[in-house]
Amino acid sequence: MKVLLKNGNIVFSDKVQKNDLVFENGRITFLGKDYTGQSDKVFDIGGKMVLPGLIDMHTHLRDPGLEYKEDIITGSRSAVAGGFTSIACMPNTKPVLDNAALISYVKYKSKESGLCKVLPIGSVTKGQKGEELAELRLMSEQGAVAFSDDGYPVSSAHMLRLALEYTKDFDGLIISHCEDRSLTDGGYVNEGKNASLAGLKGIFRASEDVGTARDIIIAKALDARIHIAHVSTKGAVELTRYFKGQGVKVTAETCPQYFLATDKEILEYNTFAKINPPLREESDNIAILEGIRDGTIDALVTDHAPHHIDEKRVDFSDAAFGSIGLESAVGLNTRLIEKGMVDWVGLSKLMSYNPARILKLKEVGEIKTGYIADITVIDPDIQYTFDAKKTFSKSHNSLFDGWKLKGKAVMTIIDGQVVYNNAKITPFGKE
Ligand SMILES: [Zn+2]
């Protein structure tokens, strides 16, 4: 089937241009002015933004084992409604994704769902216990796009060294959750004035900075690739910038909560504001915005972390860490355009091109003739109050519930199939 998207503002890798776009058999076949050829279906995009399909490098799908929070299908529904065509899922499931069979399970279930592409991330160590390396190469051969003990750092500097030596051999990627657990010392919010006012136990901010330095220094010594997860401190931005300047193969990501929110959110004991790393301070927000502007930060991710309400509706100290994020990401990240930090080309680099390059995904991340037709249409003008209860996720623990947002994904196309259009989800083959 030949499908024509008319009058879209196409976000190319170097410019935005009003063009028609045609795709057929899962590939983009035409880009240009006033398409006059035949087509089986036409969508008038009416000047909305047409981006390469968004890719979230950091999602928690809780499947297998914790499906009461989320599963691959509900998480994928939430992803396509948020404009994502691919999401990479973290291995802290039950059991942990630490072997090839479980990587296959995720890929199989994702394919069955007929929704977005789910790219499994395997664990670095068996059971994420930090004692023994997992079967990294076997998992990679089965389709794991990266490795991480996310939720926790790789236990020891020595274990990280072993993992980086091993992944370097096949150009694999370690995604590092940077934290020195001895400095975290049982804390669960950012240490500072607001933690004191609320009487909540803080995490010394150096915990993240020391973890970041450790991991990048080891990657530098081995000339291996490393990706820093969810950067939240000014110190981590500065360290990443410094080592990038030295030619170290380090890339980094952040999430909207680290440049749009601060630890003031904890003053009302809203457990949806309990996340890890914790919400920081305004000086950190500013440093992260600058890191986004100057390219120190390569990718925007959600760290979508669904939890059952019973795990959140408890005392702050007992509540689980995390906020969902797939369906609020576009409305939050477009604020970077309003703030003048990036333009549409820059935003699409952060949400698609760079994640594709970092994860070595082929023929996606750009709108180009011959490339796979993974496409996200964003209406930049829609204004709405974000209602977490109306999301497709199984859990509704969003820090951003009730926020006024502008900009939303209105159409998501995967492999040339319109799976999401006008708030309606149509899995592959169910048309
Ligand atoms: Zn993490």
Side-chain angles (χ1 to χ4, degrees), residues 58 150-151 177 229-230 276-277 303:
H58 193 142
D150 184 58
H177 165 119
H230 44 51
N276 187 21
D303 198 0

Side-chain angles (χ1 to χ4, degrees), residues 81-373:
F84 293 97
T85 54
S86 295
I87 54 176
C89 63
M90 284 296 173
N92 60 339
T93 48
K94 217 171 167 183
V96 166
L97 303 180
D98 65 359
N99 63 67
L102 285 168
I103 297 297
S104 296
Y105 161 80
V106 172
K107 296 211 56 139
Y108 176 78
K109 193 159 172 191
S110 155
K111 206 160 187 193
E112 281 285 283
S113 80
L115 295 162
C116 69
K117 297 168 188 171
V118 178
L119 315 168
I121 296 172
S123 66
V124 175
T125 59
K126 286 190 181 159
Q128 291 191 308
K129 289 200 176 86
E131 291 156 8
E132 206 183 330
L133 274 190
E135 304 270 15
L136 306 184
R137 188 189 287 270
L138 289 177
M139 284 194 280
S140 163
E141 283 166 4
Q142 209 55 241
V145 291
F147 306 96
S148 182
D149 275 356
D150 184 58
Y152 295 101
V154 174
S155 59
S156 72
H158 174 67
M159 190 57 73
L160 181 66
R161 176 200 176 158
L162 293 180
L164 286 169
E165 279 177 340
Y166 204 61
T167 47
K168 193 191 166 184
D169 212 38
F170 59 92
D171 202 22
L173 179 72
I174 302 280
I175 299 178
S176 196
H177 165 119
C178 295
E179 180 181 348
D180 184 314
R181 297 282 298 164
S182 69
L183 292 172
T184 301
D185 189 31
Y188 45 81
V189 295
N190 179 58
E191 186 178 288
K193 190 184 78 193
N194 290 324
S196 303
L197 282 172
L200 299 174
K201 184 159 170 50
I203 303 172
F204 184 27
R205 65 172 43 243
S207 169
E208 179 168 338
D209 300 351
V210 170
T212 306
R214 181 197 84 168
D215 291 13
I216 306 182
I217 287 168
I218 297 169
K220 180 185 179 195
L222 298 170
D223 192 30
R225 292 205 294 147
I226 195 158
H227 179 77
I228 307 301
H230 44 51
V231 169
S232 80
T233 62
K234 183 175 184 223
V237 176
E238 286 170 349
L239 284 160
T240 306
R241 182 181 291 122
Y242 170 77
F243 283 109
K244 269 194 168 184
Q246 304 258 305
V248 180
K249 293 171 185 155
V250 56
T251 51
E253 64 182 38
T254 193
C255 322
Q257 48 269 38
Y258 300 122
F259 56 86
L260 294 176
T262 67
D263 63 357
K264 281 196 189 111
E265 304 280 339
I266 64 172
L267 290 174
E268 285 161 30
Y269 303 98
N270 171 12
T271 55
F272 293 178
K274 182 178 174 183
I275 57 176
N276 187 21
L279 292 171
R280 302 288 185 183
E281 296 168 34
E282 210 176 316
S283 54
D284 299 292
N285 287 185
I286 293 166
I288 286 169
L289 286 170
E290 183 52 27
I292 290 169
R293 200 194 57 77
D294 75 3
T296 300
I297 306 242
D298 304 89
L300 294 172
V301 302
T302 65
D303 198 0
H304 178 79
H307 288 294
H308 192 271
I309 191 67
D310 291 347
E311 295 162 309
K312 281 292 197 180
R313 205 181 282 148
V314 290
D315 270 356
F316 203 98
S317 59
D318 297 329
F321 287 101
S323 169
I324 57 168
L326 287 165
E327 290 170 69
S328 48
V330 165
L332 294 163
N333 290 340
T334 48
R335 290 192 184 182
L336 291 168
I337 297 176
E338 271 174 35
K339 286 175 186 286
M341 293 295 148
V342 295
D343 54 13
W344 280 99
V345 170
L347 187 72
S348 119
K349 286 222 154 80
L350 288 157
M351 295 187 77
S352 184
Y353 182 90
N354 291 346
R357 294 304 165 278
I358 294 166
L359 297 176
K360 296 192 174 295
L361 310 177
K362 292 201 178 72
E363 299 176 301
V364 292
E366 258 185 283
I367 301 263
K368 224 170 162 174
T369 309
Y371 263 39
I372 293 166

